[in-house]
Coordinates of all heavy atoms in Angstrom, one line a residue:
G1 N 0.7 -1.2 0.1 CA 0.0 0.0 0.0 C 0.8 1.3 -0.1 O 0.4 2.4 -0.1
L2 N 2.1 1.1 0.2 CA 2.9 2.3 0.3 C 3.8 2.6 -0.9 O 4.6 3.5 -0.9 CB 4.0 2.3 1.6 CG 3.2 2.2 2.9 CD1 4.2 1.9 4.0 CD2 2.5 3.3 3.1
C3 N 3.5 1.8 -2.0 CA 4.4 2.0 -3.3 C 3.5 2.2 -4.4 O 2.3 1.9 -4.4 CB 5.3 0.8 -3.4 SG 4.4 -0.7 -3.8
N4 N 4.0 3.0 -5.4 CA 3.3 3.2 -6.6 C 3.4 2.0 -7.7 O 2.5 2.0 -8.5 CB 3.8 4.6 -7.2 CG 3.5 5.7 -6.3 OD1 2.5 5.8 -5.5 ND2 4.5 6.6 -6.3
S5 N 4.5 1.4 -7.7 CA 4.7 0.5 -8.7 C 5.5 -0.7 -8.0 O 6.2 -0.7 -7.0 CB 5.6 0.9 -9.8 OG 4.9 2.0 -10.4
V6 N 5.2 -1.9 -8.6 CA 5.9 -3.2 -8.3 C 6.6 -3.7 -9.5 O 6.0 -3.7 -10.6 CB 4.9 -4.3 -7.6 CG1 5.6 -5.5 -7.4 CG2 4.2 -3.7 -6.5
V7 N 7.8 -4.2 -9.5 CA 8.6 -4.8 -10.5 C 8.9 -6.2 -10.2 O 9.5 -6.4 -9.1 CB 9.8 -3.9 -10.7 CG1 10.7 -4.5 -11.8 CG2 9.6 -2.4 -11.0
V8 N 8.6 -7.0 -11.1 CA 9.0 -8.4 -11.0 C 10.2 -8.7 -11.9 O 10.1 -8.2 -13.0 CB 7.7 -9.3 -11.4 CG1 8.2 -10.7 -11.4 CG2 6.6 -9.2 -10.6
V9 N 11.2 -9.2 -11.4 CA 12.4 -9.4 -12.2 C 12.4 -10.9 -12.5 O 12.2 -11.9 -11.7 CB 13.7 -9.0 -11.2 CG1 14.9 -9.4 -12.1 CG2 13.7 -7.7 -10.9
T10 N 12.8 -11.2 -13.7 CA 12.8 -12.6 -14.3 C 13.9 -12.7 -15.2 O 14.5 -11.8 -15.7 CB 11.5 -12.9 -14.9 OG1 11.5 -14.4 -15.3 CG2 11.2 -12.2 -16.2
E11 N 14.3 -14.0 -15.5 CA 15.2 -14.2 -16.5 C 14.6 -14.8 -17.8 O 13.4 -15.0 -17.8 CB 16.3 -15.3 -16.1 CG 17.2 -14.9 -14.9 CD 18.1 -15.9 -14.6 OE1 19.1 -16.1 -15.4 OE2 18.1 -16.4 -13.4
R12 N 15.4 -15.0 -18.9 CA 14.8 -15.3 -20.2 C 14.6 -16.9 -20.3 O 14.9 -17.5 -21.4 CB 15.6 -14.8 -21.2 CG 15.6 -13.4 -21.3 CD 16.3 -12.8 -22.4 NE 15.7 -13.1 -23.7 CZ 16.1 -12.6 -24.9 NH1 17.1 -11.8 -25.0 NH2 15.5 -12.9 -26.1
E13 N 14.3 -17.6 -19.2 CA 14.1 -19.0 -19.4 C 12.6 -19.3 -18.6 O 12.2 -18.6 -17.7 CB 15.2 -19.8 -18.7 CG 15.5 -19.5 -17.3 CD 14.7 -20.6 -16.4 OE1 14.4 -21.6 -16.9 OE2 14.5 -20.3 -15.3
L14 N 12.0 -20.4 -19.1 CA 10.7 -20.7 -18.8 C 10.5 -20.8 -17.3 O 9.4 -20.4 -16.7 CB 10.2 -22.0 -19.5 CG 8.8 -22.3 -19.4 CD1 7.9 -21.3 -19.9 CD2 8.4 -23.6 -20.2
G15 N 11.4 -21.5 -16.6 CA 11.1 -21.8 -15.1 C 11.1 -20.4 -14.5 O 10.2 -20.3 -13.5
S16 N 11.9 -19.4 -14.8 CA 11.9 -18.1 -14.1 C 10.7 -17.3 -14.4 O 10.1 -16.7 -13.5 CB 13.1 -17.3 -14.5 OG 13.3 -16.1 -13.8
V17 N 10.3 -17.5 -15.6 CA 9.0 -16.8 -16.0 C 7.8 -17.4 -15.4 O 6.8 -16.6 -14.9 CB 8.8 -16.8 -17.6 CG1 7.5 -16.3 -18.0 CG2 9.9 -16.0 -18.3
I18 N 7.8 -18.7 -15.1 CA 6.7 -19.2 -14.5 C 6.6 -18.8 -13.0 O 5.5 -18.5 -12.5 CB 6.8 -20.8 -14.5 CG1 6.4 -21.3 -16.0 CG2 5.8 -21.5 -13.5 CD1 6.6 -22.8 -16.3
C19 N 7.8 -18.7 -12.4 CA 7.8 -18.3 -11.0 C 7.3 -16.8 -11.0 O 6.7 -16.3 -9.9 CB 9.4 -18.3 -10.5 SG 9.9 -20.0 -10.1
G20 N 7.8 -16.1 -12.0 CA 7.2 -14.6 -12.0 C 5.7 -14.6 -12.2 O 5.1 -13.8 -11.5
K21 N 5.3 -15.6 -12.9 CA 3.8 -15.5 -13.1 C 3.1 -15.9 -11.8 O 2.0 -15.3 -11.5 CB 3.6 -16.6 -14.2 CG 2.1 -16.4 -14.8 CD 1.9 -17.5 -15.9 CE 0.6 -17.2 -16.7 NZ 0.6 -18.1 -17.8
V22 N 3.6 -16.8 -11.0 CA 3.0 -17.1 -9.7 C 3.2 -15.9 -8.7 O 2.2 -15.6 -8.0 CB 3.9 -18.3 -9.1 CG1 3.4 -18.7 -7.7 CG2 3.5 -19.6 -9.8
A23 N 4.3 -15.3 -8.7 CA 4.4 -14.0 -7.9 C 3.4 -13.0 -8.3 O 2.8 -12.3 -7.5 CB 5.8 -13.5 -8.1
L24 N 3.1 -12.8 -9.6 CA 2.1 -11.9 -10.0 C 0.7 -12.3 -9.7 O -0.1 -11.4 -9.2 CB 2.1 -11.7 -11.6 CG 3.4 -10.9 -12.2 CD1 3.4 -11.1 -13.7 CD2 3.4 -9.6 -11.7
K25 N 0.4 -13.5 -9.6 CA -0.9 -14.0 -9.2 C -1.1 -13.7 -7.6 O -2.2 -13.4 -7.3 CB -1.1 -15.6 -9.5 CG -1.3 -15.8 -11.0 CD -1.7 -17.3 -11.1 CE -1.8 -17.6 -12.6 NZ -3.0 -17.1 -13.2
Q26 N -0.1 -13.9 -6.9 CA -0.1 -13.6 -5.6 C -0.4 -12.1 -5.3 O -1.0 -11.7 -4.4 CB 1.2 -14.1 -4.7 CG 1.1 -13.7 -3.3 CD 0.0 -14.5 -2.5 OE1 0.0 -15.8 -2.7 NE2 -0.9 -13.8 -1.9
L27 N 0.3 -11.2 -6.1 CA 0.2 -9.8 -6.0 C -1.3 -9.5 -6.3 O -1.9 -8.7 -5.6 CB 1.1 -9.0 -6.9 CG 2.6 -9.0 -6.5 CD1 3.4 -8.5 -7.6 CD2 2.8 -8.2 -5.2
Q28 N -1.8 -10.1 -7.3 CA -3.3 -9.9 -7.7 C -4.2 -10.2 -6.6 O -5.2 -9.5 -6.3 CB -3.7 -10.6 -9.0 CG -3.0 -9.9 -10.3 CD -3.2 -10.8 -11.4 OE1 -3.6 -12.0 -11.3 NE2 -2.9 -10.3 -12.6
A29 N -3.8 -11.3 -5.8 CA -4.7 -11.7 -4.7 C -4.7 -10.7 -3.6 O -5.6 -10.7 -2.8 CB -4.2 -13.2 -4.2
W30 N -3.6 -10.0 -3.5 CA -3.4 -8.9 -2.6 C -4.0 -7.6 -3.0 O -3.9 -6.5 -2.4 CB -2.0 -8.6 -2.1 CG -1.4 -9.8 -1.4 CD1 -2.1 -10.8 -0.6 CD2 0.0 -10.1 -1.3 NE1 -1.2 -11.7 -0.1 CE2 0.1 -11.3 -0.5 CE3 1.2 -9.6 -1.9 CZ2 1.3 -11.8 -0.2 CZ3 2.4 -10.2 -1.5 CH2 2.5 -11.3 -0.7
G31 N -4.5 -7.6 -4.3 CA -5.1 -6.4 -4.8 C -4.1 -5.5 -5.5 O -4.5 -4.3 -5.8
V32 N -2.9 -6.0 -5.9 CA -2.0 -5.2 -6.6 C -2.0 -5.7 -8.1 O -1.8 -6.9 -8.3 CB -0.6 -5.4 -6.1 CG1 0.5 -4.6 -6.8 CG2 -0.6 -4.9 -4.6
G33 N -2.2 -4.8 -9.1 CA -2.2 -5.3 -10.4 C -2.2 -4.1 -11.4 O -2.2 -3.0 -10.9
G34 N -2.7 -4.4 -12.6 CA -2.9 -3.4 -13.6 C -1.6 -2.6 -14.0 O -0.5 -3.2 -14.2
D35 N -1.8 -1.3 -14.1 CA -0.7 -0.4 -14.5 C 0.3 -0.3 -13.5 O 1.3 0.5 -13.7 CB -1.4 0.9 -14.9 CG -2.2 0.8 -16.1 OD1 -2.1 -0.2 -16.9 OD2 -3.0 1.8 -16.4
N36 N 0.2 -0.8 -12.2 CA 1.2 -0.7 -11.3 C 2.3 -1.8 -11.2 O 3.1 -1.7 -10.5 CB 0.5 -0.6 -9.9 CG -0.5 0.6 -9.8 OD1 -0.1 1.6 -10.5 ND2 -1.5 0.4 -9.0
V37 N 2.2 -2.7 -12.1 CA 2.9 -3.9 -12.1 C 3.7 -4.0 -13.4 O 3.2 -3.9 -14.5 CB 2.2 -5.2 -11.9 CG1 3.2 -6.4 -11.8 CG2 1.5 -5.2 -10.5
W38 N 5.1 -4.2 -13.2 CA 6.0 -4.2 -14.4 C 6.9 -5.4 -14.3 O 7.1 -5.9 -13.2 CB 6.7 -2.9 -14.5 CG 5.9 -1.7 -14.7 CD1 5.2 -0.9 -13.7 CD2 5.5 -1.2 -15.8 NE1 4.4 0.0 -14.1 CE2 4.6 -0.1 -15.6 CE3 5.8 -1.4 -17.2 CZ2 4.1 0.7 -16.5 CZ3 5.1 -0.6 -18.2 CH2 4.3 0.5 -17.9
A39 N 7.6 -5.6 -15.3 CA 8.6 -6.8 -15.4 C 9.9 -6.1 -15.9 O 9.9 -5.3 -16.8 CB 8.1 -7.9 -16.2
V40 N 11.0 -6.7 -15.3 CA 12.3 -6.5 -15.8 C 12.9 -7.8 -16.2 O 12.9 -8.7 -15.3 CB 13.2 -5.7 -14.8 CG1 14.6 -5.6 -15.2 CG2 12.6 -4.3 -14.6
V41 N 13.6 -7.9 -17.3 CA 14.2 -9.2 -17.6 C 15.7 -9.0 -17.5 O 16.3 -8.0 -18.1 CB 13.8 -9.6 -19.1 CG1 14.5 -10.8 -19.5 CG2 12.3 -9.7 -19.3
V42 N 16.3 -9.8 -16.8 CA 17.8 -10.0 -16.7 C 18.4 -11.0 -17.4 O 17.8 -12.2 -17.4 CB 18.2 -9.9 -15.3 CG1 18.1 -8.5 -14.5 CG2 17.6 -10.9 -14.4
N43 N 19.4 -10.8 -18.1 CA 20.3 -12.0 -18.8 C 21.4 -12.3 -17.9 O 22.5 -11.7 -18.1 CB 20.6 -11.5 -20.2 CG 19.4 -11.2 -21.1 OD1 18.9 -12.2 -21.5 ND2 19.1 -10.0 -21.5
R44 N 21.1 -13.0 -17.0 CA 22.3 -13.4 -16.0 C 23.3 -14.4 -16.6 O 24.5 -14.5 -16.3 CB 21.6 -14.1 -14.7 CG 22.2 -13.6 -13.4 CD 21.4 -14.1 -12.3 NE 20.8 -15.5 -12.4 CZ 21.3 -16.6 -11.9 NH1 22.5 -16.5 -11.2 NH2 20.7 -17.7 -12.1
T45 N 22.7 -15.2 -17.5 CA 23.5 -16.3 -18.2 C 23.0 -16.5 -19.4 O 21.9 -16.2 -19.8 CB 23.6 -17.6 -17.3 OG1 24.6 -18.5 -17.9 CG2 22.2 -18.2 -17.3
E46 N 23.8 -17.1 -20.4 CA 23.5 -17.4 -21.7 C 22.6 -18.7 -21.7 O 23.0 -19.7 -21.1 CB 24.5 -17.5 -22.7 CG 25.1 -16.2 -23.1 CD 26.3 -16.3 -24.1 OE1 26.0 -17.0 -25.1 OE2 27.4 -15.8 -23.8
F47 N 21.4 -18.7 -22.4 CA 20.6 -19.8 -22.4 C 20.6 -20.4 -23.9 O 20.7 -19.5 -24.8 CB 19.1 -19.6 -22.0 CG 19.0 -19.3 -20.6 CD1 18.8 -18.0 -20.1 CD2 18.9 -20.3 -19.6 CE1 18.6 -17.7 -18.8 CE2 19.0 -19.9 -18.3 CZ 18.7 -18.7 -17.9
P48 N 20.6 -21.7 -24.2 CA 20.6 -22.1 -25.5 C 19.4 -21.6 -26.3 O 19.6 -21.2 -27.5 CB 20.5 -23.7 -25.5 CG 20.8 -23.9 -23.9 CD 20.5 -22.7 -23.2
K49 N 18.3 -21.5 -25.7 CA 17.0 -21.0 -26.4 C 16.3 -20.0 -25.5 O 15.3 -20.4 -24.9 CB 16.1 -22.1 -26.8 CG 16.7 -23.0 -27.9 CD 15.6 -23.9 -28.4 CE 16.1 -24.7 -29.6 NZ 15.0 -25.7 -30.1
P50 N 16.8 -18.8 -25.4 CA 16.2 -17.9 -24.5 C 14.8 -17.6 -25.0 O 14.6 -17.4 -26.2 CB 17.1 -16.6 -24.4 CG 17.8 -16.6 -25.7 CD 17.9 -18.2 -26.1
L51 N 13.9 -17.2 -24.1 CA 12.4 -16.8 -24.5 C 12.6 -15.4 -25.1 O 13.4 -14.6 -24.6 CB 11.6 -16.7 -23.3 CG 11.2 -18.2 -22.7 CD1 10.4 -17.9 -21.4 CD2 10.4 -19.0 -23.6
E52 N 11.8 -15.1 -26.1 CA 11.7 -13.8 -26.7 C 11.1 -12.9 -25.6 O 10.1 -13.3 -24.9 CB 10.9 -13.8 -27.9 CG 11.4 -14.5 -29.1 CD 12.9 -13.9 -29.5 OE1 12.9 -12.6 -29.4 OE2 13.7 -14.7 -29.9
I53 N 11.4 -11.7 -25.6 CA 10.8 -10.7 -24.8 C 9.4 -10.6 -24.9 O 8.6 -10.5 -23.9 CB 11.5 -9.3 -24.9 CG1 13.1 -9.3 -24.7 CG2 10.8 -8.2 -23.9 CD1 13.5 -9.9 -23.3
S54 N 8.9 -10.5 -26.2 CA 7.4 -10.5 -26.4 C 6.8 -11.7 -25.8 O 5.5 -11.6 -25.2 CB 7.1 -10.5 -27.9 OG 7.6 -11.5 -28.5
E55 N 7.3 -12.9 -25.7 CA 6.7 -14.0 -25.2 C 6.6 -14.0 -23.7 O 5.7 -14.4 -23.0 CB 7.5 -15.3 -25.5 CG 7.0 -16.6 -24.9 CD 5.5 -17.0 -25.2 OE1 5.0 -16.6 -26.2 OE2 5.1 -17.8 -24.4
I56 N 7.7 -13.4 -23.1 CA 7.7 -13.1 -21.6 C 6.6 -12.1 -21.2 O 5.8 -12.4 -20.2 CB 9.0 -12.6 -21.1 CG1 10.1 -13.7 -21.4 CG2 9.0 -12.3 -19.7 CD1 11.6 -13.3 -21.2
Q57 N 6.5 -11.1 -22.0 CA 5.4 -10.2 -21.7 C 4.0 -10.8 -21.9 O 3.1 -10.5 -21.0 CB 5.5 -9.0 -22.7 CG 4.5 -8.0 -22.3 CD 4.6 -6.7 -23.3 OE1 5.1 -6.7 -24.3 NE2 4.0 -5.6 -22.8
T58 N 3.8 -11.7 -22.8 CA 2.6 -12.4 -23.0 C 2.4 -13.3 -21.8 O 1.2 -13.4 -21.2 CB 2.6 -13.3 -24.2 OG1 2.7 -12.3 -25.4 CG2 1.4 -14.0 -24.5
Q59 N 3.3 -14.1 -21.4 CA 3.2 -15.1 -20.2 C 2.9 -14.2 -18.9 O 2.1 -14.6 -18.1 CB 4.5 -15.7 -20.1 CG 4.8 -16.8 -21.1 CD 3.8 -18.0 -21.0 OE1 3.4 -18.5 -20.0 NE2 3.4 -18.5 -22.1
L60 N 3.6 -13.1 -18.7 CA 3.4 -12.4 -17.5 C 2.1 -11.4 -17.5 O 1.7 -11.1 -16.4 CB 4.7 -11.6 -17.1 CG 5.9 -12.4 -16.9 CD1 7.1 -11.5 -16.6 CD2 5.7 -13.4 -15.6
A61 N 1.8 -11.1 -18.7 CA 0.5 -10.2 -18.8 C 0.8 -8.8 -18.1 O -0.2 -8.4 -17.3 CB -0.8 -11.0 -18.4
C62 N 2.0 -8.3 -18.1 CA 2.2 -7.0 -17.6 C 3.2 -6.2 -18.5 O 3.7 -6.8 -19.4 CB 2.8 -7.1 -16.2 SG 4.4 -7.8 -16.0
G63 N 3.3 -5.0 -18.3 CA 4.3 -4.2 -19.0 C 5.7 -4.5 -18.8 O 6.0 -5.0 -17.7
M64 N 6.5 -4.2 -19.8 CA 7.9 -4.5 -19.6 C 8.6 -3.2 -19.4 O 8.6 -2.2 -20.1 CB 8.5 -5.1 -21.0 CG 7.9 -6.5 -21.3 SD 8.2 -7.7 -20.0 CE 10.1 -7.8 -20.1
L65 N 9.4 -3.1 -18.3 CA 10.1 -2.0 -17.9 C 11.4 -1.9 -18.6 O 12.0 -0.8 -18.9 CB 10.2 -1.8 -16.4 CG 10.4 -0.5 -15.8 CD1 9.4 0.6 -16.3 CD2 10.4 -0.7 -14.4
G66 N 12.0 -3.0 -18.7 CA 13.4 -2.9 -19.3 C 14.0 -4.3 -19.5 O 13.5 -5.4 -18.8
V67 N 15.2 -4.4 -20.1 CA 16.0 -5.5 -20.2 C 17.5 -5.3 -19.9 O 18.0 -4.3 -20.4 CB 15.9 -6.1 -21.7 CG1 16.8 -7.5 -21.9 CG2 14.5 -6.4 -22.0
V68 N 18.0 -6.1 -19.0 CA 19.4 -5.9 -18.6 C 20.2 -6.9 -19.4 O 20.0 -8.1 -19.2 CB 19.6 -6.0 -17.1 CG1 21.0 -5.9 -16.7 CG2 18.7 -5.1 -16.3
P69 N 21.1 -6.5 -20.3 CA 21.8 -7.4 -21.0 C 23.0 -8.2 -20.2 O 23.2 -7.9 -19.1 CB 22.6 -6.5 -22.1 CG 22.8 -5.2 -21.3 CD 21.5 -5.1 -20.5
L70 N 23.4 -9.2 -20.9 CA 24.3 -10.2 -20.4 C 25.6 -9.4 -20.2 O 26.1 -8.7 -21.0 CB 24.6 -11.3 -21.2 CG 25.5 -12.5 -20.7 CD1 25.0 -13.1 -19.5 CD2 25.7 -13.5 -21.8
A71 N 26.3 -9.5 -19.0 CA 27.6 -8.7 -18.7 C 28.9 -9.5 -18.9 O 29.9 -8.9 -18.7 CB 27.4 -8.2 -17.3
T72 N 28.7 -10.7 -19.1 CA 30.0 -11.5 -19.3 C 30.6 -11.4 -20.7 O 29.8 -11.2 -21.6 CB 29.8 -13.0 -19.0 OG1 28.9 -13.6 -19.8 CG2 29.4 -13.2 -17.5
S73 N 31.8 -11.5 -20.8 CA 32.5 -11.4 -22.0 C 33.9 -11.9 -22.0 O 34.5 -12.1 -21.0 CB 32.5 -10.0 -22.7 OG 32.8 -9.9 -23.9
A74 N 34.6 -12.0 -23.1 CA 35.9 -12.6 -23.2 C 37.0 -11.5 -22.9 O 37.9 -11.8 -22.1 CB 36.2 -13.3 -24.4
S75 N 37.0 -10.4 -23.7 CA 38.2 -9.5 -23.6 C 37.8 -8.4 -22.6 O 36.7 -8.1 -22.3 CB 38.5 -9.0 -25.0 OG 37.5 -8.1 -25.4
F76 N 38.9 -7.7 -22.2 CA 38.8 -6.6 -21.3 C 37.9 -5.5 -21.9 O 37.1 -4.9 -21.2 CB 40.2 -6.1 -20.8 CG 40.1 -4.9 -19.8 CD1 39.6 -5.1 -18.5 CD2 40.2 -3.7 -20.3 CE1 39.6 -4.0 -17.6 CE2 40.1 -2.5 -19.4 CZ 39.8 -2.7 -18.1
D77 N 38.1 -5.2 -23.1 CA 37.4 -4.1 -23.8 C 35.9 -4.5 -23.8 O 35.0 -3.6 -23.7 CB 37.9 -3.9 -25.2 CG 39.2 -3.0 -25.1 OD1 39.6 -2.4 -24.0 OD2 40.0 -3.2 -26.1
E78 N 35.6 -5.8 -24.1 CA 34.3 -6.2 -24.3 C 33.6 -6.2 -22.8 O 32.4 -5.8 -22.7 CB 34.2 -7.5 -24.9 CG 34.5 -7.7 -26.3 CD 34.6 -9.1 -26.8 OE1 34.8 -10.0 -26.1 OE2 34.3 -9.2 -28.0
V79 N 34.3 -6.5 -21.9 CA 33.8 -6.4 -20.4 C 33.4 -5.0 -20.1 O 32.3 -4.8 -19.5 CB 34.8 -7.1 -19.4 CG1 34.3 -6.7 -18.0 CG2 34.9 -8.6 -19.6
I80 N 34.3 -4.1 -20.5 CA 34.0 -2.6 -20.1 C 32.8 -2.2 -20.8 O 31.9 -1.6 -20.4 CB 35.3 -1.8 -20.5 CG1 36.4 -2.1 -19.6 CG2 34.8 -0.3 -20.3 CD1 36.2 -1.9 -18.1
S81 N 32.8 -2.6 -22.2 CA 31.5 -2.2 -23.0 C 30.3 -2.8 -22.5 O 29.3 -2.1 -22.4 CB 31.9 -2.6 -24.4 OG 30.7 -2.4 -25.2
K82 N 30.3 -4.0 -22.0 CA 29.1 -4.7 -21.5 C 28.8 -4.0 -20.2 O 27.6 -3.9 -19.9 CB 29.4 -6.2 -21.4 CG 29.4 -7.0 -22.6 CD 28.0 -7.2 -23.2 CE 28.1 -8.1 -24.4 NZ 26.8 -8.5 -24.9
A83 N 29.7 -3.8 -19.3 CA 29.3 -3.1 -18.1 C 28.8 -1.7 -18.3 O 27.8 -1.3 -17.5 CB 30.7 -3.0 -17.2
E84 N 29.2 -0.9 -19.2 CA 28.6 0.3 -19.6 C 27.1 0.1 -20.0 O 26.2 0.8 -19.7 CB 29.3 1.1 -20.6 CG 30.7 1.6 -20.0 CD 31.7 2.2 -21.1 OE1 31.3 2.0 -22.3 OE2 32.6 2.6 -20.8
S85 N 26.9 -0.9 -20.8 CA 25.5 -1.3 -21.3 C 24.6 -1.6 -20.2 O 23.5 -1.2 -20.2 CB 25.7 -2.5 -22.3 OG 24.5 -2.7 -22.8
V86 N 25.1 -2.4 -19.3 CA 24.3 -2.9 -18.2 C 24.1 -1.7 -17.2 O 22.8 -1.5 -16.9 CB 25.1 -4.0 -17.3 CG1 24.4 -4.3 -15.9 CG2 25.2 -5.3 -18.0
N87 N 25.0 -0.8 -17.0 CA 24.8 0.3 -16.2 C 23.7 1.3 -16.9 O 22.8 1.9 -16.2 CB 26.1 1.2 -16.0 CG 26.9 0.4 -14.9 OD1 26.5 -0.3 -14.3 ND2 28.2 0.8 -15.0
A88 N 23.8 1.4 -18.2 CA 22.9 2.3 -19.0 C 21.4 1.6 -18.9 O 20.4 2.3 -18.7 CB 23.2 2.4 -20.4
S89 N 21.4 0.3 -18.8 CA 20.1 -0.3 -18.7 C 19.4 0.0 -17.3 O 18.3 0.3 -17.2 CB 20.2 -1.9 -18.9 OG 20.6 -2.1 -20.2
F90 N 20.3 -0.1 -16.3 CA 19.8 0.0 -15.0 C 19.3 1.5 -14.8 O 18.3 1.7 -14.2 CB 20.8 -0.3 -13.9 CG 20.9 -1.7 -13.5 CD1 22.1 -2.4 -13.7 CD2 19.8 -2.4 -13.2 CE1 22.2 -3.8 -13.3 CE2 19.9 -3.8 -12.8 CZ 21.0 -4.4 -12.9
A91 N 20.0 2.5 -15.4 CA 19.7 3.9 -15.4 C 18.4 4.2 -16.1 O 17.5 4.9 -15.5 CB 20.9 4.8 -15.9
E92 N 18.3 3.5 -17.2 CA 17.0 3.7 -18.0 C 15.8 3.1 -17.2 O 14.8 3.8 -17.1 CB 17.1 2.9 -19.3 CG 16.0 3.2 -20.2 CD 16.0 2.4 -21.6 OE1 17.3 2.3 -21.9 OE2 15.1 2.0 -22.2
I93 N 15.9 2.0 -16.6 CA 14.9 1.5 -15.8 C 14.6 2.3 -14.5 O 13.4 2.6 -14.3 CB 15.2 0.0 -15.3 CG1 15.3 -0.9 -16.5 CG2 14.3 -0.5 -14.2 CD1 15.9 -2.3 -16.3
G94 N 15.6 2.8 -13.9 CA 15.4 3.7 -12.8 C 14.7 5.0 -13.3 O 13.8 5.5 -12.5
N95 N 15.1 5.5 -14.3 CA 14.5 6.7 -14.9 C 13.0 6.5 -15.2 O 12.1 7.4 -14.9 CB 15.1 7.3 -16.0 CG 16.4 8.0 -15.7 OD1 16.7 8.4 -14.5 ND2 17.4 8.0 -16.6
R96 N 12.7 5.3 -15.7 CA 11.2 5.0 -15.9 C 10.4 5.0 -14.7 O 9.3 5.3 -14.6 CB 11.1 3.7 -16.7 CG 11.6 3.9 -18.1 CD 11.4 2.7 -18.9 NE 11.7 2.9 -20.4 CZ 12.2 1.9 -21.2 NH1 12.2 0.7 -20.8 NH2 12.4 2.3 -22.4
L97 N 11.1 4.3 -13.6 CA 10.4 4.2 -12.3 C 10.1 5.6 -11.6 O 9.1 5.7 -10.9 CB 11.1 3.2 -11.4 CG 10.8 1.8 -11.8 CD1 11.9 0.9 -10.9 CD2 9.5 1.3 -11.5
I98 N 11.0 6.5 -11.7 CA 10.8 7.7 -11.0 C 10.0 8.8 -11.8 O 9.7 9.9 -11.2 CB 12.2 8.3 -10.6 CG1 13.1 8.8 -11.7 CG2 12.9 7.4 -9.6 CD1 14.3 9.5 -11.5
A99 N 9.6 8.4 -13.0 CA 8.8 9.5 -13.9 C 7.5 9.6 -13.1 O 7.0 8.8 -12.4 CB 8.7 8.9 -15.2
N100 N 6.8 10.7 -13.4 CA 5.5 10.9 -12.8 C 4.6 9.7 -13.1 O 3.7 9.4 -12.4 CB 4.9 12.2 -13.3 CG 5.6 13.3 -12.7 OD1 6.1 13.3 -11.5 ND2 5.5 14.4 -13.4
K101 N 4.6 9.2 -14.5 CA 3.8 8.2 -14.9 C 4.9 7.1 -15.6 O 5.6 7.4 -16.4 CB 2.9 8.5 -15.9 CG 2.0 7.4 -16.4 CD 0.8 7.8 -17.2 CE 0.1 6.8 -17.9 NZ 0.0 5.4 -17.5
V102 N 4.8 5.8 -14.9 CA 5.8 4.9 -15.5 C 5.4 4.5 -16.9 O 4.1 4.3 -17.3 CB 5.7 3.6 -14.5 CG1 6.7 2.5 -15.2 CG2 6.1 3.9 -13.2
V103 N 6.4 4.5 -17.9 CA 6.1 4.1 -19.2 C 7.0 3.0 -19.6 O 8.2 3.0 -19.3 CB 6.4 5.3 -20.2 CG1 6.3 4.9 -21.6 CG2 5.6 6.5 -19.9
G104 N 6.4 1.9 -20.1 CA 7.2 0.7 -20.4 C 8.0 0.8 -21.6 O 7.9 1.8 -22.4
M105 N 8.9 -0.1 -21.8 CA 9.6 -0.1 -23.1 C 8.8 -0.5 -24.4 O 7.8 -1.2 -24.2 CB 10.9 -1.1 -22.9 CG 10.5 -2.5 -22.8 SD 11.9 -3.6 -22.5 CE 12.4 -4.0 -24.2
K106 N 9.3 -0.1 -25.5 CA 8.6 -0.4 -26.8 C 9.2 -1.7 -27.2 O 10.4 -2.0 -27.2 CB 8.8 0.6 -27.8 CG 8.4 2.1 -27.3 CD 7.0 2.3 -27.8 CE 6.7 3.8 -27.6 NZ 5.7 4.1 -26.5
L107 N 8.4 -2.7 -27.6 CA 8.7 -4.0 -28.1 C 8.9 -4.0 -29.6 O 8.1 -3.3 -30.3 CB 7.9 -5.1 -27.6 CG 7.9 -5.3 -26.0 CD1 7.0 -6.5 -25.7 CD2 9.4 -5.7 -25.6

């Protein structure tokens, strides 16, 4: 009751998305839902067949706030580049949350 938005964090694999869906059902049982619930997808590891973001959005039936890219890489320059990309993703998600009206990402 003290927050404006709730963010569910999931990965791009089916088990994680199913857990997110269960969490969202619990939130709905508590009266939290609609435009106040968002999802963020994190790429913590590489999956052989990651779910598409649009499929995750369909499964969760809520707006997508952002996607955090995979941060691992082989060379030092690639690690720095990925870290900057991850930081930019977090900043973008944060900026969306602090806006007067939360606006999801365009798919």
Side-chain angles (χ1 to χ4, degrees):
L2 299 176
C3 62
N4 296 327
S5 298
V6 175
V7 178
V8 174
V9 179
T10 187
E11 291 187 68
R12 292 182 72 172
E13 62 92 22
L14 187 57
S16 183
V17 173
I18 290 171
C19 288
K21 196 171 187 175
V22 170
L24 290 170
K25 285 186 186 283
Q26 183 62 58
L27 288 169
Q28 288 174 345
W30 293 336
V32 178
D35 293 341
N36 297 331
V37 178
W38 298 88
V40 169
V41 177
V42 283
N43 292 292
R44 221 170 37 100
T45 188
E46 288 187 46
F47 293 104
K49 289 186 172 183
L51 292 174
E52 294 294 325
I53 301 303
S54 59
E55 174 63 18
I56 295 170
Q57 183 177 24
T58 299
Q59 289 288 325
L60 297 179
C62 67
M64 297 300 295
L65 199 55
V67 177
V68 179
L70 185 64
T72 60
S73 196
S75 75
F76 181 75
D77 289 337
E78 289 174 334
V79 169
I80 296 300
S81 176
K82 289 284 187 174
E84 289 171 353
S85 178
V86 168
N87 288 340
S89 296
F90 280 124
E92 182 178 336
I93 291 166
N95 287 335
R96 287 185 176 153
L97 281 171
I98 63 172
N100 288 333
K101 179 170 174 28
V102 179
V103 176
M105 62 183 274
K106 304 267 190 247
L107 294 181

